[in-house]
Amino acid sequence: MTNQSNSRDVWVFIEQEEGVIADVSLELLAKAQELAGTLDSQVCGLMCGYQVEDLAETVIHHGADRVLWADHPELEMYRTLPYAKVTTKLVQEQQPYILIFGATAIGRDLAPRVASASRAGLTADCTDLQIGDYTSKKDKRTYNDLLLQIRPAFGGNIIATIINPKMHPQMATVREGVMRRQEPDVTRQGSVEKIEPTFDESDLALRILSRETRESEINLKDSPIIVSGGGGVDSEESFELVRELAHVLGGEVGASRAAVDAGLVSREHQVGQTGTTVRPRLYIAAGISGAVQHRAGMDESAKIIAINTDPNAPIFEIAHYKIVGDLTEVIPMMIRALREKAK
Amino acid sequence: MSSARTYNSIVLVKQVPDTKNITGDVMKDDGTMNRSALPAVFNPEDLNALEMALRVREQHGGQVTVMTMGPPQAAEVLRESLYRGADQVVLISDRKFAGADTLATSYALTCAVQKQGDYDLIFCGRQAIDGDTAQVGPQTAEKLGIPQITYAETVVDLEGDELVVERALPLGKELVKCMLPCLLTVVSTANQPRPASARKRIEYKLAATPLEYRSLLKKWPEFGTEEALDAYLEARDMKLPVWSAADVGIQDGNIGLAGSPTQVYKVNFVVLETAESKEVSADQEGIAALLEELIQEYIVG
Ligand SMILES: Cc1cc2nc3c(=O)[nH]c(=O)nc-3n(C[C@H](O)[C@H](O)[C@H](O)COP(=O)(O)OP(=O)(O)OC[C@H]3O[C@@H](n4cnc5c(N)ncnc54)[C@H](O)[C@@H]3O)c2cc1C
């Protein structure tokens, strides 16, 4: 988009599949409400689908003042081009100040397409969003109330704040679990506007032949106990120990990106900036160094146990219990102690 | 049945710092990164993208062109691509590209792809490990005005002007049919990238871009001048092309810092708030006592 918009509204892309709104969209509505409060503006939920009008109420109850709902049979299942066309058009017509997406498979497919078409900046996987002022060193111009897009920077313990002073909307994606959703307020009122888009042949260049989806086998976000393995887990057998400990504790298995990249466990288990953010009662980090991207997803855990052979591993600085030792020895001891207690 | 045809592919690849091997030396005392101390590697999923393109060529014929935007050193991933079977490579390099965010990067890549022209398929890795943003592929597709297939895992069918691809979604699979040309971003589970061929490694040993001549002359002083080296490589078809911003017809305001809507406002060091912590001895007694404590506090059990 060219230059400043007049609107100060905060838009959230509401992701729905088969009539179910993604958790992350509801989480973002809560954050959007906070941002709009600071900006003294409105929250708008933008939803695409076919005959999903009933969802608009839920969107309002979770924080939207307004729902823009595009209804068309071609929008029933997510496809890049029709969704991008609708979203881009609305963005260009109404010029929201801020537009945020969940960093899901859909959000990560759609947001860059819309950003490119709107010539807007887009920051992926933010771990926090705030409103703040910025004065350019070059021309001394002050930009008030910008969206501060906060995320770990590559390498070391650095958190970067990214801004888009000139090109709006200010766009960002956020992973599931980073923001906290609010209890729905069923007394909240809002407006619903239905939009009936039209598509031409080029918008429908891609067709879905079939889709198979499965239920997620895990629920990391809501699990009270998580045992995670990292790069220090060097084999399938050792990762079995992590799984077994999680099982004995009645918790879920988590992982750092190193363990996921090594193929020891599926991506769904990744904790961190580009995985899931968790806040369990107990988080056990086995063979995880504690890189800032990992910590971003677990440092609000109530209790953290770290098992690491390196006494200087950064994970120890946020751990409540430090165990300096080899996980292939320590985890079996934990399992044994728990089995003893269970007797 | 439509008559058999061939398909030309462009593969967009990136050289990235190896995040797996960050060592102490890489971080400077002020906490910033010493990029030159970091080993640079071929972005892993870009190898999967290249492999997918090579397999399409093996089945259907056509040319595979690999492009990368980066500093002179990025020529290394182009040589790696040649060792694996790419037909042509291009380095897109210009000081003016410095500071580009994903939008400015996708603009530069789009201009390069348009200059190359004559493509049916564009392949990228799903994401680069130094940013995990997964934005450049879709942004390039948008600028080219072509459809995108993200999370591509298998090319199931390619016939006439249509492509059938299986996508690996986080929770399932999707089979899609798409008109060509289109852009695919490829996941790591798509294939096992082939290793560099020893024969091609020898064949392309000398391949270099003019941006590397100065440092090459130190290694091979016998050439004497850059001109002599250039003539030698040119005659052997070992001169790798470099396209500058002007070569691909880029407008200044759209690239580098000026063309990047996002900018870094500030960086903060994370000061780790040391939790009140207990050392637990790594023996059966220590561990049992720890678990007892957690049970007492209703954290476990
Ligand atoms: C853009 C971006 C996004 C990222 N997103 C994420 C993310 O979401 N989640 C994430 O986790 N990472 C993420 N990362 C990667 C992150 O920077 C680190 O590289 C990663 O977290 C390292 O994982 P690790 O600590 O498990 O592995 P390593 O760095 O390999 O550390 C292994 C640890 O295990 C210890 N160890 C070794 N052997 C043993 C043993 N036998 N017993 C006990 N301890 C042992 C070692 O001392 C070391 O501390 C991201 C990086 C980037 C650039």
Side-chain angles (χ1 to χ4, degrees), chain A residues 151 154 230-232 256-258 270-275 287-291 293-294 307-310 325-327, chain B residues 129-132:
Chain A
R151 61 170 266 157
F154 170 60
S256 71
R257 197 178 81 175
Q270 183 175 316
V271 171
Q273 183 207 353
T274 55
I288 294 179
S289 61
Q293 293 90 355
H294 187 77
I307 309 165
N308 202 303
T309 40
D310 173 6
D326 188 325
L327 67 94
Chain B
I129 56 171
D130 58 347
D132 276 12

PDB file of all heavy atoms in Angstrom, chain A residues 151 154 230-232 256-258 270-275 287-291 293-294 307-310 325-327, chain B residues 129-132, ligand 1:
ATOM      1  N   ARG A 151      10.447  -9.828  17.797  1.00  0.00           N
ATOM      2  CA  ARG A 151      10.765 -11.244  17.592  1.00  0.00           C
ATOM      3  C   ARG A 151      12.256 -11.475  17.825  1.00  0.00           C
ATOM      4  O   ARG A 151      13.061 -10.556  17.673  1.00  0.00           O
ATOM      5  CB  ARG A 151      10.379 -11.729  16.194  1.00  0.00           C
ATOM      6  CG  ARG A 151      11.072 -11.045  15.044  1.00  0.00           C
ATOM      7  CD  ARG A 151      10.796 -11.771  13.737  1.00  0.00           C
ATOM      8  NE  ARG A 151      11.855 -12.729  13.426  1.00  0.00           N
ATOM      9  CZ  ARG A 151      11.706 -13.792  12.634  1.00  0.00           C
ATOM     10  NH1 ARG A 151      10.554 -14.061  12.079  1.00  0.00           N
ATOM     11  NH2 ARG A 151      12.705 -14.594  12.377  1.00  0.00           N
ATOM     12  N   PHE A 154      18.153 -13.549  14.645  1.00  0.00           N
ATOM     13  CA  PHE A 154      19.020 -14.695  14.441  1.00  0.00           C
ATOM     14  C   PHE A 154      20.366 -14.520  15.140  1.00  0.00           C
ATOM     15  O   PHE A 154      20.980 -13.471  15.034  1.00  0.00           O
ATOM     16  CB  PHE A 154      19.224 -14.895  12.939  1.00  0.00           C
ATOM     17  CG  PHE A 154      20.262 -15.890  12.641  1.00  0.00           C
ATOM     18  CD1 PHE A 154      20.098 -17.182  13.092  1.00  0.00           C
ATOM     19  CD2 PHE A 154      21.402 -15.555  11.968  1.00  0.00           C
ATOM     20  CE1 PHE A 154      21.060 -18.122  12.850  1.00  0.00           C
ATOM     21  CE2 PHE A 154      22.366 -16.488  11.724  1.00  0.00           C
ATOM     22  CZ  PHE A 154      22.200 -17.774  12.163  1.00  0.00           C
ATOM     23  N   GLY A 230      16.113 -32.246  22.870  1.00  0.00           N
ATOM     24  CA  GLY A 230      16.770 -31.339  21.931  1.00  0.00           C
ATOM     25  C   GLY A 230      17.936 -31.980  21.218  1.00  0.00           C
ATOM     26  O   GLY A 230      18.025 -33.213  21.108  1.00  0.00           O
ATOM     27  N   GLY A 231      18.835 -31.139  20.749  1.00  0.00           N
ATOM     28  CA  GLY A 231      19.989 -31.600  20.000  1.00  0.00           C
ATOM     29  C   GLY A 231      20.892 -32.542  20.790  1.00  0.00           C
ATOM     30  O   GLY A 231      21.689 -33.282  20.206  1.00  0.00           O
ATOM     31  N   GLY A 232      20.780 -32.511  22.111  1.00  0.00           N
ATOM     32  CA  GLY A 232      21.582 -33.412  22.943  1.00  0.00           C
ATOM     33  C   GLY A 232      21.051 -34.835  22.949  1.00  0.00           C
ATOM     34  O   GLY A 232      21.684 -35.736  23.496  1.00  0.00           O
ATOM     35  N   SER A 256      12.997 -29.261  20.692  1.00  0.00           N
ATOM     36  CA  SER A 256      13.595 -28.060  20.106  1.00  0.00           C
ATOM     37  C   SER A 256      13.653 -28.272  18.591  1.00  0.00           C
ATOM     38  O   SER A 256      13.451 -29.382  18.103  1.00  0.00           O
ATOM     39  CB  SER A 256      15.005 -27.827  20.646  1.00  0.00           C
ATOM     40  OG  SER A 256      15.868 -28.808  20.109  1.00  0.00           O
ATOM     41  N   ARG A 257      13.975 -27.206  17.869  1.00  0.00           N
ATOM     42  CA  ARG A 257      14.059 -27.345  16.415  1.00  0.00           C
ATOM     43  C   ARG A 257      15.166 -28.321  16.032  1.00  0.00           C
ATOM     44  O   ARG A 257      15.061 -29.016  15.026  1.00  0.00           O
ATOM     45  CB  ARG A 257      14.274 -25.988  15.736  1.00  0.00           C
ATOM     46  CG  ARG A 257      13.960 -26.032  14.255  1.00  0.00           C
ATOM     47  CD  ARG A 257      14.128 -24.690  13.568  1.00  0.00           C
ATOM     48  NE  ARG A 257      15.515 -24.422  13.236  1.00  0.00           N
ATOM     49  CZ  ARG A 257      15.921 -23.363  12.538  1.00  0.00           C
ATOM     50  NH1 ARG A 257      15.046 -22.462  12.141  1.00  0.00           N
ATOM     51  NH2 ARG A 257      17.185 -23.187  12.264  1.00  0.00           N
ATOM     52  N   ALA A 258      16.221 -28.376  16.845  1.00  0.00           N
ATOM     53  CA  ALA A 258      17.328 -29.284  16.526  1.00  0.00           C
ATOM     54  C   ALA A 258      16.837 -30.734  16.464  1.00  0.00           C
ATOM     55  O   ALA A 258      17.222 -31.494  15.575  1.00  0.00           O
ATOM     56  CB  ALA A 258      18.450 -29.132  17.548  1.00  0.00           C
ATOM     57  N   GLN A 270       7.372 -29.137  18.026  1.00  0.00           N
ATOM     58  CA  GLN A 270       8.374 -28.088  18.261  1.00  0.00           C
ATOM     59  C   GLN A 270       7.848 -26.973  19.162  1.00  0.00           C
ATOM     60  O   GLN A 270       6.797 -26.407  18.927  1.00  0.00           O
ATOM     61  CB  GLN A 270       8.827 -27.484  16.926  1.00  0.00           C
ATOM     62  CG  GLN A 270       9.915 -26.435  17.089  1.00  0.00           C
ATOM     63  CD  GLN A 270      10.436 -25.945  15.748  1.00  0.00           C
ATOM     64  OE1 GLN A 270      10.682 -26.750  14.858  1.00  0.00           O
ATOM     65  NE2 GLN A 270      10.589 -24.648  15.600  1.00  0.00           N
ATOM     66  N   VAL A 271       8.641 -26.683  20.170  1.00  0.00           N
ATOM     67  CA  VAL A 271       8.335 -25.591  21.089  1.00  0.00           C
ATOM     68  C   VAL A 271       9.236 -24.428  20.720  1.00  0.00           C
ATOM     69  O   VAL A 271      10.422 -24.615  20.452  1.00  0.00           O
ATOM     70  CB  VAL A 271       8.608 -26.029  22.544  1.00  0.00           C
ATOM     71  CG1 VAL A 271       8.515 -24.838  23.505  1.00  0.00           C
ATOM     72  CG2 VAL A 271       7.634 -27.124  22.961  1.00  0.00           C
ATOM     73  N   GLY A 272       8.693 -23.223  20.702  1.00  0.00           N
ATOM     74  CA  GLY A 272       9.544 -22.071  20.459  1.00  0.00           C
ATOM     75  C   GLY A 272       8.911 -21.050  19.548  1.00  0.00           C
ATOM     76  O   GLY A 272       7.733 -21.154  19.190  1.00  0.00           O
ATOM     77  N   GLN A 273       9.733 -20.111  19.149  1.00  0.00           N
ATOM     78  CA  GLN A 273       9.264 -18.991  18.321  1.00  0.00           C
ATOM     79  C   GLN A 273       8.542 -19.464  17.074  1.00  0.00           C
ATOM     80  O   GLN A 273       7.520 -18.903  16.693  1.00  0.00           O
ATOM     81  CB  GLN A 273      10.459 -18.129  17.912  1.00  0.00           C
ATOM     82  CG  GLN A 273      10.056 -16.902  17.122  1.00  0.00           C
ATOM     83  CD  GLN A 273      11.147 -16.431  16.190  1.00  0.00           C
ATOM     84  OE1 GLN A 273      12.276 -16.930  16.212  1.00  0.00           O
ATOM     85  NE2 GLN A 273      10.826 -15.470  15.370  1.00  0.00           N
ATOM     86  N   THR A 274       9.078 -20.478  16.408  1.00  0.00           N
ATOM     87  CA  THR A 274       8.435 -20.955  15.193  1.00  0.00           C
ATOM     88  C   THR A 274       7.769 -22.313  15.407  1.00  0.00           C
ATOM     89  O   THR A 274       7.519 -23.054  14.468  1.00  0.00           O
ATOM     90  CB  THR A 274       9.425 -20.996  14.005  1.00  0.00           C
ATOM     91  OG1 THR A 274      10.552 -21.785  14.372  1.00  0.00           O
ATOM     92  CG2 THR A 274       9.908 -19.615  13.649  1.00  0.00           C
ATOM     93  N   GLY A 275       7.504 -22.609  16.664  1.00  0.00           N
ATOM     94  CA  GLY A 275       6.738 -23.803  17.009  1.00  0.00           C
ATOM     95  C   GLY A 275       5.558 -23.344  17.845  1.00  0.00           C
ATOM     96  O   GLY A 275       4.906 -22.364  17.520  1.00  0.00           O
ATOM     97  N   GLY A 287      18.679 -32.004  27.143  1.00  0.00           N
ATOM     98  CA  GLY A 287      19.592 -31.844  26.009  1.00  0.00           C
ATOM     99  C   GLY A 287      19.219 -30.658  25.136  1.00  0.00           C
ATOM    100  O   GLY A 287      19.369 -30.691  23.919  1.00  0.00           O
ATOM    101  N   ILE A 288      18.732 -29.597  25.771  1.00  0.00           N
ATOM    102  CA  ILE A 288      18.365 -28.373  25.044  1.00  0.00           C
ATOM    103  C   ILE A 288      19.225 -27.237  25.578  1.00  0.00           C
ATOM    104  O   ILE A 288      19.282 -27.011  26.789  1.00  0.00           O
ATOM    105  CB  ILE A 288      16.867 -28.060  25.224  1.00  0.00           C
ATOM    106  CG1 ILE A 288      16.033 -29.149  24.543  1.00  0.00           C
ATOM    107  CG2 ILE A 288      16.522 -26.676  24.696  1.00  0.00           C
ATOM    108  CD1 ILE A 288      14.543 -28.975  24.661  1.00  0.00           C
ATOM    109  N   SER A 289      19.893 -26.537  24.664  1.00  0.00           N
ATOM    110  CA  SER A 289      20.848 -25.524  25.110  1.00  0.00           C
ATOM    111  C   SER A 289      20.155 -24.289  25.676  1.00  0.00           C
ATOM    112  O   SER A 289      20.661 -23.652  26.595  1.00  0.00           O
ATOM    113  CB  SER A 289      21.738 -25.105  23.935  1.00  0.00           C
ATOM    114  OG  SER A 289      20.919 -24.553  22.915  1.00  0.00           O
ATOM    115  N   GLY A 290      18.994 -23.965  25.113  1.00  0.00           N
ATOM    116  CA  GLY A 290      18.287 -22.785  25.601  1.00  0.00           C
ATOM    117  C   GLY A 290      18.488 -21.562  24.724  1.00  0.00           C
ATOM    118  O   GLY A 290      18.620 -20.442  25.219  1.00  0.00           O
ATOM    119  N   ALA A 291      18.483 -21.760  23.409  1.00  0.00           N
ATOM    120  CA  ALA A 291      18.571 -20.636  22.468  1.00  0.00           C
ATOM    121  C   ALA A 291      17.342 -19.746  22.650  1.00  0.00           C
ATOM    122  O   ALA A 291      16.279 -20.214  23.049  1.00  0.00           O
ATOM    123  CB  ALA A 291      18.608 -21.167  21.023  1.00  0.00           C
ATOM    124  N   GLN A 293      15.287 -18.512  20.645  1.00  0.00           N
ATOM    125  CA  GLN A 293      14.077 -18.913  19.911  1.00  0.00           C
ATOM    126  C   GLN A 293      13.337 -20.041  20.634  1.00  0.00           C
ATOM    127  O   GLN A 293      12.131 -20.156  20.533  1.00  0.00           O
ATOM    128  CB  GLN A 293      14.414 -19.374  18.486  1.00  0.00           C
ATOM    129  CG  GLN A 293      14.929 -18.290  17.573  1.00  0.00           C
ATOM    130  CD  GLN A 293      16.434 -18.144  17.621  1.00  0.00           C
ATOM    131  OE1 GLN A 293      17.108 -18.805  18.413  1.00  0.00           O
ATOM    132  NE2 GLN A 293      16.973 -17.270  16.796  1.00  0.00           N
ATOM    133  N   HIS A 294      14.078 -20.874  21.319  1.00  0.00           N
ATOM    134  CA  HIS A 294      13.407 -21.927  22.081  1.00  0.00           C
ATOM    135  C   HIS A 294      12.782 -21.343  23.353  1.00  0.00           C
ATOM    136  O   HIS A 294      11.618 -21.609  23.659  1.00  0.00           O
ATOM    137  CB  HIS A 294      14.388 -23.053  22.442  1.00  0.00           C
ATOM    138  CG  HIS A 294      13.698 -24.230  23.075  1.00  0.00           C
ATOM    139  ND1 HIS A 294      12.983 -25.153  22.348  1.00  0.00           N
ATOM    140  CD2 HIS A 294      13.564 -24.599  24.377  1.00  0.00           C
ATOM    141  CE1 HIS A 294      12.447 -26.049  23.173  1.00  0.00           C
ATOM    142  NE2 HIS A 294      12.783 -25.727  24.412  1.00  0.00           N
ATOM    143  N   ILE A 307      18.086 -30.519  32.031  1.00  0.00           N
ATOM    144  CA  ILE A 307      19.096 -31.575  32.118  1.00  0.00           C
ATOM    145  C   ILE A 307      20.089 -31.321  30.997  1.00  0.00           C
ATOM    146  O   ILE A 307      19.727 -31.332  29.822  1.00  0.00           O
ATOM    147  CB  ILE A 307      18.478 -32.979  31.912  1.00  0.00           C
ATOM    148  CG1 ILE A 307      17.273 -33.172  32.838  1.00  0.00           C
ATOM    149  CG2 ILE A 307      19.520 -34.064  32.119  1.00  0.00           C
ATOM    150  CD1 ILE A 307      16.403 -34.368  32.457  1.00  0.00           C
ATOM    151  N   ASN A 308      21.335 -31.060  31.361  1.00  0.00           N
ATOM    152  CA  ASN A 308      22.316 -30.734  30.334  1.00  0.00           C
ATOM    153  C   ASN A 308      23.702 -31.090  30.843  1.00  0.00           C
ATOM    154  O   ASN A 308      24.011 -30.887  32.019  1.00  0.00           O
ATOM    155  CB  ASN A 308      22.238 -29.240  29.991  1.00  0.00           C
ATOM    156  CG  ASN A 308      22.811 -28.939  28.623  1.00  0.00           C
ATOM    157  OD1 ASN A 308      23.971 -29.244  28.350  1.00  0.00           O
ATOM    158  ND2 ASN A 308      22.001 -28.360  27.759  1.00  0.00           N
ATOM    159  N   THR A 309      24.526 -31.604  29.944  1.00  0.00           N
ATOM    160  CA  THR A 309      25.890 -31.972  30.350  1.00  0.00           C
ATOM    161  C   THR A 309      26.776 -30.736  30.518  1.00  0.00           C
ATOM    162  O   THR A 309      27.795 -30.794  31.194  1.00  0.00           O
ATOM    163  CB  THR A 309      26.543 -32.878  29.277  1.00  0.00           C
ATOM    164  OG1 THR A 309      26.178 -32.383  27.990  1.00  0.00           O
ATOM    165  CG2 THR A 309      26.091 -34.322  29.411  1.00  0.00           C
ATOM    166  N   ASP A 310      26.354 -29.638  29.892  1.00  0.00           N
ATOM    167  CA  ASP A 310      27.177 -28.424  29.944  1.00  0.00           C
ATOM    168  C   ASP A 310      26.676 -27.508  31.065  1.00  0.00           C
ATOM    169  O   ASP A 310      25.586 -26.956  30.971  1.00  0.00           O
ATOM    170  CB  ASP A 310      27.076 -27.717  28.582  1.00  0.00           C
ATOM    171  CG  ASP A 310      27.750 -26.362  28.576  1.00  0.00           C
ATOM    172  OD1 ASP A 310      28.408 -26.008  29.583  1.00  0.00           O
ATOM    173  OD2 ASP A 310      27.609 -25.658  27.561  1.00  0.00           O
ATOM    174  N   GLY A 325      24.144 -33.229  33.908  1.00  0.00           N
ATOM    175  CA  GLY A 325      24.380 -34.654  33.716  1.00  0.00           C
ATOM    176  C   GLY A 325      23.928 -35.102  32.344  1.00  0.00           C
ATOM    177  O   GLY A 325      23.364 -34.317  31.573  1.00  0.00           O
ATOM    178  N   ASP A 326      24.189 -36.352  32.083  1.00  0.00           N
ATOM    179  CA  ASP A 326      23.866 -36.939  30.789  1.00  0.00           C
ATOM    180  C   ASP A 326      22.409 -37.407  30.806  1.00  0.00           C
ATOM    181  O   ASP A 326      22.013 -38.186  31.676  1.00  0.00           O
ATOM    182  CB  ASP A 326      24.817 -38.127  30.550  1.00  0.00           C
ATOM    183  CG  ASP A 326      24.685 -38.666  29.136  1.00  0.00           C
ATOM    184  OD1 ASP A 326      23.562 -38.666  28.591  1.00  0.00           O
ATOM    185  OD2 ASP A 326      25.721 -39.089  28.582  1.00  0.00           O
ATOM    186  N   LEU A 327      21.657 -36.953  29.869  1.00  0.00           N
ATOM    187  CA  LEU A 327      20.229 -37.285  29.867  1.00  0.00           C
ATOM    188  C   LEU A 327      19.966 -38.779  29.768  1.00  0.00           C
ATOM    189  O   LEU A 327      18.966 -39.276  30.274  1.00  0.00           O
ATOM    190  CB  LEU A 327      19.501 -36.521  28.760  1.00  0.00           C
ATOM    191  CG  LEU A 327      19.812 -36.840  27.300  1.00  0.00           C
ATOM    192  CD1 LEU A 327      18.834 -37.855  26.740  1.00  0.00           C
ATOM    193  CD2 LEU A 327      19.792 -35.586  26.471  1.00  0.00           C
TER     194      LEU A 327
ATOM    195  N   ILE B 129      16.506 -21.436   6.827  1.00  0.00           N
ATOM    196  CA  ILE B 129      16.690 -21.676   8.265  1.00  0.00           C
ATOM    197  C   ILE B 129      17.148 -20.442   9.031  1.00  0.00           C
ATOM    198  O   ILE B 129      17.082 -20.414  10.248  1.00  0.00           O
ATOM    199  CB  ILE B 129      17.689 -22.833   8.534  1.00  0.00           C
ATOM    200  CG1 ILE B 129      19.040 -22.559   7.855  1.00  0.00           C
ATOM    201  CG2 ILE B 129      17.115 -24.155   8.080  1.00  0.00           C
ATOM    202  CD1 ILE B 129      20.122 -23.552   8.259  1.00  0.00           C
ATOM    203  N   ASP B 130      17.612 -19.402   8.347  1.00  0.00           N
ATOM    204  CA  ASP B 130      18.051 -18.229   9.105  1.00  0.00           C
ATOM    205  C   ASP B 130      16.896 -17.284   9.442  1.00  0.00           C
ATOM    206  O   ASP B 130      17.082 -16.336  10.188  1.00  0.00           O
ATOM    207  CB  ASP B 130      19.161 -17.472   8.360  1.00  0.00           C
ATOM    208  CG  ASP B 130      18.730 -17.031   6.973  1.00  0.00           C
ATOM    209  OD1 ASP B 130      17.678 -17.501   6.484  1.00  0.00           O
ATOM    210  OD2 ASP B 130      19.435 -16.211   6.373  1.00  0.00           O
ATOM    211  N   GLY B 131      15.731 -17.524   8.883  1.00  0.00           N
ATOM    212  CA  GLY B 131      14.619 -16.641   9.206  1.00  0.00           C
ATOM    213  C   GLY B 131      13.323 -17.381   9.451  1.00  0.00           C
ATOM    214  O   GLY B 131      12.450 -16.907  10.147  1.00  0.00           O
ATOM    215  N   ASP B 132      13.224 -18.571   8.878  1.00  0.00           N
ATOM    216  CA  ASP B 132      12.003 -19.372   8.987  1.00  0.00           C
ATOM    217  C   ASP B 132      10.760 -18.620   8.501  1.00  0.00           C
ATOM    218  O   ASP B 132       9.661 -18.961   8.892  1.00  0.00           O
ATOM    219  CB  ASP B 132      11.748 -19.807  10.448  1.00  0.00           C
ATOM    220  CG  ASP B 132      12.510 -21.078  10.837  1.00  0.00           C
ATOM    221  OD1 ASP B 132      13.394 -21.491  10.074  1.00  0.00           O
ATOM    222  OD2 ASP B 132      12.225 -21.648  11.911  1.00  0.00           O
TER     223      ASP B 132
HETATM  224  C1  LIG C   1      14.350 -18.039  12.666  1.00  0.00           C
HETATM  225  C2  LIG C   1      14.655 -19.120  13.638  1.00  0.00           C
HETATM  226  C3  LIG C   1      13.590 -19.715  14.309  1.00  0.00           C
HETATM  227  C4  LIG C   1      13.844 -20.708  15.239  1.00  0.00           C
HETATM  228  N1  LIG C   1      12.778 -21.276  15.917  1.00  0.00           N
HETATM  229  C5  LIG C   1      13.029 -22.199  16.859  1.00  0.00           C
HETATM  230  C6  LIG C   1      11.967 -22.788  17.632  1.00  0.00           C
HETATM  231  O1  LIG C   1      10.799 -22.483  17.446  1.00  0.00           O
HETATM  232  N2  LIG C   1      12.286 -23.703  18.566  1.00  0.00           N
HETATM  233  C7  LIG C   1      13.570 -24.088  18.812  1.00  0.00           C
HETATM  234  O2  LIG C   1      13.777 -24.927  19.690  1.00  0.00           O
HETATM  235  N3  LIG C   1      14.582 -23.569  18.101  1.00  0.00           N
HETATM  236  C8  LIG C   1      14.345 -22.647  17.130  1.00  0.00           C
HETATM  237  N4  LIG C   1      15.384 -22.153  16.399  1.00  0.00           N
HETATM  238  C9  LIG C   1      16.720 -22.776  16.532  1.00  0.00           C
HETATM  239  C10 LIG C   1      17.485 -22.277  17.734  1.00  0.00           C
HETATM  240  O3  LIG C   1      18.183 -21.094  17.394  1.00  0.00           O
HETATM  241  C11 LIG C   1      18.514 -23.333  18.155  1.00  0.00           C
HETATM  242  O4  LIG C   1      19.348 -23.638  17.070  1.00  0.00           O
HETATM  243  C12 LIG C   1      17.860 -24.619  18.656  1.00  0.00           C
HETATM  244  O5  LIG C   1      16.872 -24.317  19.628  1.00  0.00           O
HETATM  245  C13 LIG C   1      18.927 -25.498  19.247  1.00  0.00           C
HETATM  246  O6  LIG C   1      18.359 -26.659  19.762  1.00  0.00           O
HETATM  247  P1  LIG C   1      19.039 -27.428  20.973  1.00  0.00           P
HETATM  248  O7  LIG C   1      19.394 -26.481  22.044  1.00  0.00           O
HETATM  249  O8  LIG C   1      18.126 -28.548  21.317  1.00  0.00           O
HETATM  250  O9  LIG C   1      20.298 -28.073  20.268  1.00  0.00           O
HETATM  251  P2  LIG C   1      21.856 -27.753  20.408  1.00  0.00           P
HETATM  252  O10 LIG C   1      22.114 -26.329  20.181  1.00  0.00           O
HETATM  253  O11 LIG C   1      22.492 -28.780  19.567  1.00  0.00           O
HETATM  254  O12 LIG C   1      22.170 -28.036  21.914  1.00  0.00           O
HETATM  255  C14 LIG C   1      22.208 -29.322  22.468  1.00  0.00           C
HETATM  256  C15 LIG C   1      22.393 -29.215  23.962  1.00  0.00           C
HETATM  257  O13 LIG C   1      22.399 -30.511  24.519  1.00  0.00           O
HETATM  258  C16 LIG C   1      23.448 -30.649  25.459  1.00  0.00           C
HETATM  259  N5  LIG C   1      23.815 -32.066  25.467  1.00  0.00           N
HETATM  260  C17 LIG C   1      24.559 -32.749  24.563  1.00  0.00           C
HETATM  261  N6  LIG C   1      24.609 -34.052  24.882  1.00  0.00           N
HETATM  262  C18 LIG C   1      23.902 -34.209  26.026  1.00  0.00           C
HETATM  263  C19 LIG C   1      23.579 -35.337  26.847  1.00  0.00           C
HETATM  264  N7  LIG C   1      23.993 -36.567  26.557  1.00  0.00           N
HETATM  265  N8  LIG C   1      22.851 -35.115  27.967  1.00  0.00           N
HETATM  266  C20 LIG C   1      22.400 -33.850  28.277  1.00  0.00           C
HETATM  267  N9  LIG C   1      22.681 -32.778  27.523  1.00  0.00           N
HETATM  268  C21 LIG C   1      23.404 -32.950  26.404  1.00  0.00           C
HETATM  269  C22 LIG C   1      24.522 -29.728  24.955  1.00  0.00           C
HETATM  270  O14 LIG C   1      25.360 -29.312  26.033  1.00  0.00           O
HETATM  271  C23 LIG C   1      23.711 -28.561  24.379  1.00  0.00           C
HETATM  272  O15 LIG C   1      23.436 -27.580  25.378  1.00  0.00           O
HETATM  273  C24 LIG C   1      15.166 -21.135  15.482  1.00  0.00           C
HETATM  274  C25 LIG C   1      16.215 -20.527  14.808  1.00  0.00           C
HETATM  275  C26 LIG C   1      15.964 -19.531  13.891  1.00  0.00           C
HETATM  276  C27 LIG C   1      17.102 -18.897  13.191  1.00  0.00           C
END
